[in-house]
Amino acid sequence: MLSVLRNRTYRRLFAAQVVALTGTGLATVALSLLAYDLAGADAGAVLGTALALKMAAYVAIAPLAGALADRLPRRALLVSMDLARAAVVLALPFVTRVWQVYLLILLLQAASAAFTPAFQATIPQVLPEERDYTGALSLSRLAYDLESLVSPVLAAALLTLVPYSWLFTGTAAGFLASALLVRTTALPPPPGPEAARAESARAESGRAESGRAESGRVGADPAGAGRLYARVAFGVRLLLATPRLRALLALDLAVAAAGAVVLVDTVLLVRDTLGRPAGDVPLALGAYGAGSMAVALLLPRVLERADDRAVMVRAAFVLPGALALLALGLTATPGPWSWPALLAVWLVAGAAGSAVLTPGGRVVRRSAAGGDLPAAFAARFSLSHACWLLAYPLAGGLAAWAGPAVSAAALALLALLGVVGAARLWPREDPAELEHVHPELPAGHPHLAGAGAHHAHAFHIDALHRRWPAAPGR
């Protein structure tokens, strides 16, 4: 896994991701404490609303940003979004009203919604080999875990020395460092039309519906028609037309349900339910990150022996179980066991969530040609965060209205629905050789040579499209 760091470009991009996410982790802790100061017992509802606004920005802006990512200079886009995030974060310590928190969070996450899909789409171009890319995904998962492990521990240490408002300064420093690293890194140009056609085999495989590919070619570039809307809709259509990507979204719903309980309700569970000091809030979030990090370190070897579907679906079934245990525990009178039990549940939830999220990039990558990766990643980013948009206010609202136990039980049911849906949507077999139809092609077309009366045929897609590239626009 660490061998990918020998690639200088990836090494600098990974460093940029680490410092930005470390700062974001500081902001997560500071935002929780800021919400508690402004709203007291209603902090869960305030935090849930703020995080819902974050998801709304992701859902609305990410597809548009993905459509523009291959039209704008990639490095300039990433650097400008980092600078915008730093400027917004520096304003957070000065807010005195809840609505001001909402406005700044919306601006901050709008910039993140433009940054993240473009960054994700760059990595498979830097590391085209499947093994290297898998290692990069695990390292990326580790970087995200810094937001919930190393950053909270750092926040706990800093809170003994400075007020929590100073944590926002650390966040801004992380974004500025990320901007500097990206600015001084040479990024590969987006693949041109020929490269996109060469990778269209993997894309067409991804659109297979129960072993039968949809007519047309995923590797085509709808932006060639000159319409931005077509490019935005393309990524969403790709995800919704592909069984394994629909299953991936169902798994995202399960992860969002568990993650929303952790991120929204932790401050209430620690401060109110258990009556523990503010410094224990980052420790609880750190337990969640520790579980996630441990699994991310193990996954590259696991994925060499097991397929993505088996790992992701089985791990996802742990999530509703963990939430159900939490709900059950909250019905009992708190005792000395309550604090270690909470840490254990968060540890398990983090491990299961990491096993679901880490291989997701592999699934998206197999389902889109290189030129379409920004649109595919942006659509997945947007639709997955729509799940969080549902889960965050649900977790916060239920916690404020009926208590954390009801919130955990309801989100456990939501997670279970997501996992069962994913298990049904994702075909157990995902072959490279597919039988499919092209009713739009005339008889005698080279693509249909030897196909039979109804143009139904099985073939090796890579070899076919090397011989007969699909026409533009299909």
Side-chain angles (χ1 to χ4, degrees):
M1 180 175 68
L2 295 179
S3 62
V4 297
L5 293 176
R6 289 198 291 264
N7 183 303
R8 183 176 184 274
T9 299
Y10 175 72
R11 184 171 64 249
R12 295 179 69 85
L13 291 176
F14 179 69
Q17 185 180 29
V18 167
V19 295
L21 287 173
T22 301
T24 302
L26 296 178
T28 299
V29 175
L31 185 61
S32 297
L33 296 173
L34 176 62
Y36 190 81
D37 274 357
L38 293 177
D42 292 330
V46 171
L47 192 57
T49 303
L51 294 174
L53 287 174
K54 168 183 175 178
M55 297 303 114
Y58 285 173
V59 171
I61 296 173
L64 178 62
L68 292 172
D70 58 352
R71 295 184 172 190
L72 299 176
R74 186 72 56 85
R75 185 168 57 182
L77 173 64
L78 295 175
V79 170
S80 62
M81 291 303 100
D82 265 337
L83 295 177
R85 294 193 291 182
V88 172
V89 165
L90 287 175
L92 276 170
F94 303 101
V95 303
T96 56
R97 298 287 187 273
V98 170
W99 69 265
Q100 295 169 344
V101 174
Y102 293 159
L103 176 62
L104 290 176
I105 290 297
L106 186 61
L107 293 175
L108 174 65
Q109 304 310 329
S112 293
F115 178 93
T116 305
F119 184 90
Q120 291 175 334
T122 301
I123 302 304
Q125 294 168 6
V126 173
L127 300 170
E129 295 297 327
E130 180 80 8
R131 183 183 180 90
D132 291 341
Y133 183 56
T134 300
L137 288 175
S138 289
L139 283 176
S140 179
R141 184 70 251 159
L142 292 176
Y144 278 104
D145 290 337
L146 291 173
E147 187 175 347
S148 50
L149 178 60
V150 176
S151 293
V153 172
L154 178 60
L158 290 174
L159 287 173
T160 65
L161 303 174
V162 298
Y164 70 80
S165 58
W166 283 85
L167 299 182
F168 292 118
T169 305
T171 301
F175 289 141
L176 292 175
S178 172
L180 180 62
L181 285 166
V182 174
R183 177 65 182 84
T184 56
T185 302
L187 301 182
E194 293 301 322
R197 281 195 289 270
E199 295 184 22
S200 63
R202 179 170 57 210
E204 190 163 352
S205 172
R207 293 181 63 177
E209 181 76 48
S210 300
R212 184 171 294 271
E214 180 182 333
S215 299
R217 186 177 65 87
V218 173
D221 184 2
R227 293 190 304 155
L228 180 61
Y229 172 79
R231 186 64 176 164
V232 173
F234 170 72
V236 176
R237 182 165 54 89
L238 167 61
L239 262 69
L240 297 181
T242 308
R244 61 171 171 251
L245 294 185
R246 290 202 300 269
L248 189 60
L249 293 178
L251 293 174
D252 286 332
L253 178 62
V255 173
V261 173
V262 173
L263 296 178
V264 174
D265 293 348
T266 292
V267 65
L268 294 178
L269 292 172
V270 173
R271 298 301 307 275
D272 288 352
T273 304
L274 301 182
R276 300 186 70 87
D280 283 350
V281 173
L283 295 180
L285 294 174
Y288 181 78
S292 180
M293 182 173 289
V295 168
L297 287 169
L298 296 173
L299 269 179
R301 294 182 180 177
V302 173
L303 292 174
E304 289 179 357
R305 300 189 298 270
D307 63 80
D308 295 338
R309 183 189 186 279
V311 171
M312 296 169 72
V313 173
R314 291 171 184 172
F317 272 107
V318 176
L319 295 171
L323 294 182
L325 283 176
L326 174 66
L328 182 63
L330 290 174
T331 61
T333 302
W337 56 271
S338 301
W339 175 239
L342 177 64
L343 295 180
V345 171
W346 270 200
L347 184 77
V348 171
S354 180
V356 174
L357 291 176
T358 303
R362 287 161 49 107
V363 179
V364 175
R365 187 194 189 201
R366 295 204 323 263
S367 304
D372 298 322
L373 281 176
F377 274 106
R380 193 270 171 117
F381 186 80
S382 175
L383 294 179
S384 67
H385 283 85
C387 301
W388 291 87
L389 180 59
L390 169 66
Y392 273 140
L394 187 60
L398 286 175
W401 173 63
V406 173
S407 175
L411 273 295
L413 178 59
L414 183 63
L416 182 61
L417 291 175
V419 179
V420 171
R424 294 177 62 87
L425 287 169
W426 197 332
R428 292 183 179 274
E429 301 295 332
D430 211 1
E433 294 190 10
L434 302 170
E435 184 179 286
H436 67 283
V437 296
H438 283 287
E440 82 283 2
L441 297 181
H445 190 280
H447 185 78
L448 304 176
H454 298 288
H455 312 308
H457 54 296
F459 58 94
H460 193 278
I461 294 176
D462 284 330
L464 178 75
H465 283 288
R466 280 197 296 269
R467 294 178 62 190
W468 298 299
R474 290 207 191 282

